[in-house]
Amino acid sequence: MPELPEVETIRTQLAKNVVGMTITDISFPDRKSKVLRGDLENVIGQTISDIRRFGKLLIIDLAGDYSLAIHLKMTGRLYLVKLGEELPPHTHLILTLGTKVLSFSDARRFGYVHVLPKADVLELLFIKRLGKEPLKDLKIKDFQALVQKSSRPIKNLLLDQQKIAGIGNIYACEALWMAKINPITPANTLSNAQVKALFQAVESVLTEGIKRGGASDNTYRNLMGGKGNYQDFFKVYARRGEPCSRCGTPIERMSLAGRGTFFCPECQK
Ligand SMILES: [Zn+2]
């Protein structure tokens, strides 16, 4: 699933490439696709004015009264091509922008494109419930308070979007390795030093992820169809059996809250 660095990469590319362009036409192979919500005809003739991101949710603002809220979930992709170029399979929405085409495809159909009045964007339940975001408004004091209040495994807390926005499985595993914390440790049993180290590790892995254009270990592609390369720098994620780069112990995998969780049994006791 695309996480904060992947969605931020797409946001940056959208801001650079489609702001100022006008939606001249719209089409959807399947009008009843559950991926699409709201009256899509409202966007025709509108000029794209801004691109915002709330956690993993993208907002394309139009100069008029409407916005598009887009969540990629597991396999959603936004793809910008020249008019006439081939679109990916499972394309649900095609926005023509003069000589270019912005499409939304989603093989597994968990993602969505939702047209709504711009005034309602901040009222979306997703945004209202979203926790503060690292590198943005989540400060060390907020993080310490969240950790102290929770007896859940620390990794599950990191993944809870209503507590902390934007972190998914990859960056949670990587940050916990960096901070030398076992993923199942109850959050409120961490020492102050561990909490500080983890906060710094979260900021560090997200910053690195953004710098590398995200991670394309599976289906993620950016707006131009290219891959990120953060997967080449994974320390534990998807590296089961390979030696830990810090101590040489083979990386292990366990299941935690249904998610594959990678860690070093020596460094993260
Ligand atoms: Zn190790």
Side-chain angles (χ1 to χ4, degrees):
M1 179 191 280
E3 305 178 30
L4 191 158
E6 289 75 36
V7 182
E8 177 61 15
T9 299
I10 294 172
R11 189 201 66 77
T12 308
Q13 291 180 319
L14 284 169
K16 211 170 173 178
N17 291 284
V18 306
V19 167
M21 298 185 94
T22 299
I23 300 170
T24 50
D25 198 9
I26 184 168
S27 65
F28 18 84
D30 175 12
R31 187 175 284 266
K32 287 187 182 141
S33 167
K34 68 164 189 167
V35 165
L36 309 174
R37 296 183 213 160
D39 188 356
L40 289 152
E41 308 287 347
N42 284 328
V43 307
I44 297 176
Q46 302 290 314
T47 298
I48 296 170
S49 60
D50 197 13
I51 314 291
R52 292 183 280 168
R53 182 181 59 74
F54 297 88
K56 304 175 193 174
L57 182 72
L58 280 167
I59 304 290
I60 298 181
D61 287 315
L62 306 175
D65 298 330
Y66 290 94
S67 296
L68 293 155
I70 302 173
H71 203 306
L72 304 174
K73 294 283 177 131
M74 299 294 285
T75 53
R77 279 177 62 184
L78 282 168
Y79 197 35
L80 185 68
V81 295
K82 285 186 192 136
L83 192 62
E85 277 182 30
E86 199 182 333
L87 294 172
H90 310 289
T91 292
H92 297 273
L93 176 67
I94 302 163
L95 298 172
T96 306
L97 309 168
T99 59
K100 291 195 174 172
V101 167
L102 179 63
S103 69
F104 180 84
S105 62
D106 193 348
R108 295 185 63 183
R109 298 174 172 239
F110 291 117
Y112 59 82
V113 180
H114 186 172
V115 177
L116 74 168
K118 200 187 287 177
D120 293 349
V121 168
L122 295 179
E123 299 304 314
L124 284 173
L125 209 51
F126 179 91
I127 292 178
K128 289 182 89 161
R129 285 182 175 172
L130 196 63
K132 290 186 179 178
E133 185 176 311
L135 304 176
K136 199 167 152 191
D137 52 0
L138 182 82
K139 304 301 175 199
I140 179 77
K141 287 228 176 314
D142 306 314
F143 188 64
Q144 282 165 331
L146 286 171
V147 169
Q148 278 157 14
K149 266 188 280 182
S150 174
S151 56
R152 297 155 73 196
I154 182 62
K155 184 183 173 225
N156 296 0
L157 178 67
L158 291 179
L159 293 180
D160 185 344
Q161 300 301 299
Q162 296 185 18
K163 299 283 188 282
I164 303 167
I167 306 175
N169 202 28
I170 292 174
Y171 295 91
C173 290
E174 293 294 312
L176 287 163
W177 178 85
M178 186 178 276
K180 300 185 185 175
I181 294 169
N182 190 291
I184 63 171
T185 313
N188 57 8
T189 64
L190 294 174
S191 69
N192 284 338
Q194 284 180 310
V195 175
K196 273 185 192 157
L198 182 57
F199 183 75
Q200 283 169 3
V202 163
E203 292 199 328
S204 171
V205 296
L206 292 174
T207 301
E208 193 65 16
I210 293 168
K211 193 174 126 195
R212 305 279 175 197
S216 296
D217 64 309
N218 43 31
T219 57
Y220 169 73
R221 297 292 181 275
N222 65 34
L223 186 64
M224 310 306 175
K227 290 184 171 188
N229 65 1
Y230 188 60
Q231 67 280 5
D232 299 338
F233 300 88
F234 286 167
K235 299 293 190 184
V236 284
Y237 188 81
R239 296 198 54 203
R240 180 189 205 169
E242 294 177 41
C244 169
S245 63
R246 213 159 33 200
C247 73
T249 306
I251 299 299
E252 291 185 6
R253 180 190 187 278
M254 64 175 158
S255 185
L256 187 57
R259 310 295 303 275
T261 300
F262 300 87
F263 66 106
C264 170
E266 181 62 30
C267 295
Q268 295 171 266
K269 276 184 174 160

